[in-house]
Amino acid sequence: MAANMYRVGDYVYFENSSSNPYLIRRIEELNKTANGNVEAKVVCLFRRRDISGNLNTLADSNARDFEEESKQPAVSEQQKHQLKHRELFLSRQFESLPATHIRGKCNVTLLNETDVLAGYLEKEDCFFYSLVFDPVQKTLLADQGEIRVGSKYQAEIPDKLAEGEADTRVQEKLETKVWDPDNQLKDPQIDQFLVVARAVGTFARALDCSSSIRQPSLHMSAAAASRDITLFHAMDTLQKNNYDLAKAMSTLVPQGGPVLCRDEMEEWSASEAMLFEEALEKYGKDFNDIRQDFLPWKSLASVVQFYYMWKTTDRYIQQKRLKAAEADSKLKQVYIPTYTKPNPNQIMASGTKPGMNGAAGFQKGLSCESCHTAQSPQWYAWGPPNMQCRLCASCWIYWKKYGGLKTPTQLEGAARAGSESGPRGHMTRQEAQGLSPFTRNEGRAKLLAKNRQTFILQTTKLTRIARRVCEDILQPRRAARRPYASINANAVKAECMIRLPKATKAPIKNRVIPRQSLATIVKDLAISAPLKLKAPRGVPPPINRNQASQPRGGPGLLGKRPFDNAGGLPFSTNGRPFASGLRTTSQSVIKRQKVNQGDAPNPVVFVATKDTRALRKHLTQSEMRRAARKPHLPVRIKLPPPPPPRILPLPLLPSSTSEPIVLED
C-alpha cells in the first residue's frame, strides 16, 4: 500500500512508450483536473541517451575529474558501462503528465566526494546527478547546490589547554571586539542613546532628497530609521568612543550633517523588489540564477541580504499565507495501483497470444541481446521489428529502468576503439581541398563539416561459411533485392554453429558459373551502349537570360571576358588567339546548376600571360569601369600603330659599300 502512494517530492518512473525506457521525474505538484483525473507537475531529469555526443564527452571528462579528486576504487569495464546508466542530469524544465503513467519510485541523490560510485550499482532504482542540463541552450553546467562534505571542508580544532595553562594566542588577530558587556554605562543610558540615534536617522532622511521620495511620510522615515542598521551603527559608535556618551553624540552628528545609514531594504526600489519576488517564485532560493537572469546590476551579497530582510516584512507573510492556502487545496498524495497490463512487446507468454510489434514471427534459437542467455520465462521484442532482437525478462526490466543494456554492444566498442586509435593517417579530398590556400574560410568550414570517415567492410571466415551453410535462412537473392532491410547476423551465426558439425560431413557443392572472356564482354557493351562522338567544343551555354541574345566571344576561362584587338581578332584571357572556325551561336536558356562545395573540383589558378598584361595597359580607367559594369559585353582594344623602322647610319669601311643597314624593332 505504501509503495503505491506517491507524494510531492518523490522521484518516480513515468512510462510514455511501451518500448522506450522509463522517464525519471520529480513530482512538484499533484492537481486534480475538471474531469476527475490527477495530473502531476514534474521536473524533468535526463539520461545520457537524451543528450548529444558532445555533451556526453563533456560528462565523461567531468566523471574522470571526479574519480581523480575523490580517489575512487578501480572498477571493471562493465561496471563503468552500467554506471553511465545510473547518471542523470537535472534540469529546470517542467511538464505535466497523467498520474496513471507512474510505474514506480526511484531514488536520486546529488553526488559528493564521499560517495563510492560502485555502491550505486549494488542498490536497485538508485541514481545520482552532478550536472545540470539546459534543454534550450543545450549546455551542461555544474550544480551550485554542492554539499561540502570532506576533509578539506572541516575546521582544524586546536588541542585543549591544560588546567592552569595560559593562552598565548594574540586575541586581536583572531577576532575583533564589537561590544563589551562589562562597560561603565547602564542599560537605561544605552536605551536613551539608541533613541537619540533613531531620531538622528529620521532627521537625516528628511534632509536626503532620495529618501524623502521613497519615504514621503514621517511615519515611514521613522520606521526606516528604526531598523537594525541604525541600531548597529549606534552600538559601534559607543564601542569606538569607549562608551563616552558625549563623544558618541558628537560622532552621530559631525560637522557635515547627520550620518545616514541605509540597508538593502531601503536601497532597493519597488520595481526591483517585484522582480526579486518574481525570480524567487521561478528559481526558489537559487540566488546565482536570480541575480544572473533578473537582477544583474546587483551583487550576490546584496541579493542575499535583501532576501533575509524581505522575510521580515508583511509582504512575505502574505505570500506565505497564500501559498499555504493553495497547498491546502492541492493534493498531498495520490494512490496509483500497480500496472498489470501485458506489455505489447511480449513475444510469447504462457496461455496468452503473441505480442505485437512484430513479435509473432520470431525464430527459435535466438539469444538475449544483453546477457546472451537462451532461457527465460518471458521474452520481449527489442529494437526494430525487422532485426528480430529480443531481451530476457531481467534485461527487459533493466532496459526500462536504466535505459541501456547490461553489457556494452559491439557498436559501442567499435566507437570507443575508433576514438582511442587517434587521427587517420590520410586525408580525404574534401579535407585536402579545405586546406587549400585558394579556398575561403567559410567554404573551408563547410567542406570540413561534410567529411565522413572512410570505412571498409571485411567479412570474417565464419561469416563466409555462414553464407553457404545457412543459405535458406539468409536468402541472399531476396536480400540483394531489398538492400534496405536489415539482416540479423547473430541469428544466422547461431544457426550456423548448430549446422556446422553436420555440414562438415557432407562437402558443399560448388556451382561452377561459366564466365565470358573480356573481348566478348566489351563487344556486348559496345552493342548495348554505342560510343557517342564528342561534339566540337563551342560556346558554353548561357547562364543568364540577358546573355542568351548577346554575342559572345570564345570560351573564356571561368566565364572571364575575352579581349578583342582593333583588327577584330579575339584574344582569350591568357592572351592566346582563339581557334578559327568558332562562331557565336544563340542557344536556349538553361537553369543555373548550384554546385555543391563538397562535389566541386579542385581549385584552379589562372595566370595571365605577358600578352594579356600588355593588352590591359591599353585600356583607360573609364573603359575598365565600363567593362566592369557590363561584363557580358566583349572588350575591344585599339592598339596604337607600330612605330616606323629606325635607320642607323654606320661609318664607311674600305672593304664594303656605303649602303645603310635597316634595323627593325
Side-chain angles (χ1 to χ4, degrees), residues 362-645:
F362 269 67
Q363 302 173 2
K364 297 181 179 180
L366 299 181
S367 60
C368 176
E369 292 291 331
S370 178
C371 62
H372 308 292
T373 183
Q375 296 180 357
S376 176
Q378 181 63 57
W379 294 95
Y380 294 87
W382 180 78
N386 55 357
M387 292 290 293
Q388 292 193 353
C389 300
R390 65 180 186 175
L391 296 177
C392 62
S394 61
C395 292
W396 177 257
I397 296 175
Y398 186 92
W399 159 257
K400 293 291 287 185
K401 287 185 176 181
Y402 305 113
L405 301 183
K406 292 181 180 179
T407 56
T409 60
Q410 295 179 358
L411 181 62
E412 293 175 343
R416 183 168 57 252
S419 62
E420 294 173 358
S421 61
R424 301 189 305 276
H426 65 278
M427 297 176 64
T428 60
R429 184 177 70 85
Q430 286 83 0
E431 289 176 340
Q433 184 177 355
L435 295 177
S436 172
F438 306 105
T439 308
R440 294 182 301 176
N441 292 334
E442 56 268 22
R444 183 181 305 171
K446 293 181 180 179
L447 289 175
L448 294 178
K450 287 171 58 61
N451 293 336
R452 296 293 184 270
Q453 185 174 0
T454 306
F455 62 93
I456 300 175
L457 299 178
Q458 185 177 4
T459 57
T460 61
K461 185 178 293 185
L462 178 60
T463 304
R464 294 195 294 270
I465 295 174
R467 290 175 181 173
R468 306 294 298 275
V469 176
C470 304
E471 189 174 358
D472 56 335
I473 299 177
L474 183 60
Q475 299 179 1
R477 291 180 178 272
R478 185 171 181 270
R481 290 192 298 268
R482 302 174 61 192
Y484 52 85
S486 303
I487 298 174
N488 192 350
N490 293 332
V492 176
K493 291 180 180 179
E495 187 66 22
C496 176
M497 298 302 295
I498 299 174
R499 297 185 183 181
L500 195 57
K502 302 177 182 179
T504 52
K505 299 178 181 179
I508 301 174
K509 297 180 180 180
N510 295 328
R511 291 176 295 178
V512 180
I513 301 175
R515 299 185 181 274
Q516 299 177 354
S517 62
L518 180 60
T520 307
I521 295 174
V522 172
K523 185 178 180 181
D524 294 341
L525 290 176
I527 295 173
S528 60
L531 183 62
K532 296 181 180 180
L533 298 177
K534 289 186 177 180
R537 297 180 62 185
V539 183
I543 59 176
N544 195 336
R545 295 183 181 271
N546 298 329
Q547 300 181 22
S549 59
Q550 298 289 346
R552 296 179 61 139
L557 297 177
L558 285 182
K560 292 189 177 181
R561 184 187 314 106
F563 290 89
D564 295 345
N565 59 2
L569 180 62
F571 280 85
S572 62
T573 310
N574 57 9
R576 298 175 182 174
F578 289 120
S580 60
L582 298 182
R583 294 178 297 177
T584 305
T585 57
S586 177
Q587 300 185 7
S588 60
V589 179
I590 64 172
K591 187 177 180 180
R592 180 193 292 269
Q593 297 181 356
K594 295 183 178 180
V595 180
N596 190 359
Q597 292 191 359
D599 302 331
N602 293 330
V604 183
V605 180
F606 297 94
V607 181
T609 62
K610 182 179 180 181
D611 298 334
T612 305
R613 290 194 292 269
L615 292 174
R616 289 174 182 169
K617 292 180 179 179
H618 297 290
L619 291 175
T620 62
Q621 189 174 5
S622 60
E623 289 175 346
M624 293 287 287
R625 291 179 179 176
R626 189 183 304 110
R629 287 194 295 269
K630 297 180 179 180
H632 57 279
L633 296 179
V635 178
R636 294 185 177 275
I637 303 175
K638 295 181 180 180
L639 298 176

Side-chain angles (χ1 to χ4, degrees), residues 87-312:
E87 184 178 9
L88 300 177
F89 302 100
L90 186 66
S91 73
R92 294 188 177 89
Q93 179 178 338
F94 292 87
E95 62 182 5
S96 296
L97 297 174
T100 53
H101 289 187
I102 296 177
R103 297 294 180 263
K105 293 182 181 180
C106 60
N107 185 23
V108 181
T109 57
L110 176 65
L111 185 65
N112 59 63
E113 295 181 0
T114 59
D115 290 343
V116 179
L117 292 176
Y120 288 93
L121 300 178
E122 301 172 359
K123 303 175 184 178
E124 289 290 332
D125 306 321
C126 191
F127 300 87
F128 65 89
Y129 75 93
S130 60
L131 300 175
V132 178
F133 173 61
D134 189 349
V136 179
Q137 303 293 335
K138 305 296 182 183
T139 56
L140 277 180
L141 299 174
D143 185 47
Q144 299 296 330
E146 180 184 2
I147 301 175
R148 296 185 175 183
V149 179
S151 57
K152 61 182 180 180
Y153 299 113
Q154 303 301 320
E156 296 181 1
I157 302 176
D159 297 334
K160 184 179 179 181
L161 296 175
E163 211 175 307
E165 183 180 358
D167 190 1
T168 58
R169 297 176 300 173
V170 181
Q171 297 295 331
E172 287 75 8
K173 294 182 179 180
L174 298 177
E175 55 189 3
T176 302
K177 183 184 289 187
V178 295
W179 182 258
D180 186 7
D182 300 330
N183 55 73
Q184 65 271 20
L185 297 178
K186 298 181 180 179
D187 291 343
Q189 291 177 316
I190 297 175
D191 293 339
Q192 291 175 356
F193 182 78
L194 295 179
V195 172
V196 173
R198 293 191 189 99
V200 172
T202 305
F203 179 66
R205 283 167 176 78
L207 297 179
D208 185 60
C209 297
S210 60
S211 299
S212 60
I213 296 174
R214 295 179 181 180
Q215 292 97 16
S217 63
L218 179 62
H219 295 284
M220 296 179 65
S221 298
S226 300
R227 299 187 64 83
D228 293 340
I229 188 68
T230 304
L231 302 182
F232 291 158
H233 175 66
M235 299 175 75
D236 289 343
T237 304
L238 286 176
Q239 171 69 19
K240 291 178 181 179
N241 292 278
N242 296 324
Y243 301 93
D244 188 347
L245 290 178
K247 292 182 179 179
M249 289 287 185
S250 60
T251 306
L252 284 179
V253 187
Q255 294 292 334
V259 177
L260 176 60
C261 300
R262 291 190 296 194
D263 55 12
E264 294 295 335
M265 187 62 69
E266 285 188 78
E267 294 288 345
W268 288 45
S269 62
S271 59
E272 291 174 341
M274 294 293 291
L275 282 175
F276 175 80
E277 292 179 359
E278 181 182 351
L280 193 67
E281 182 71 21
K282 181 178 181 181
Y283 293 133
K285 291 191 293 184
D286 196 341
F287 299 115
N288 287 299
D289 289 345
I290 289 175
R291 174 183 173 273
Q292 182 176 357
D293 295 344
F294 285 83
L295 299 163
W297 58 89
K298 295 289 185 181
S299 64
L300 185 61
S302 175
V303 174
V304 175
Q305 291 178 15
F306 181 81
Y307 168 73
Y308 286 102
M309 293 179 182
W310 173 78
K311 289 184 68 174
T312 62

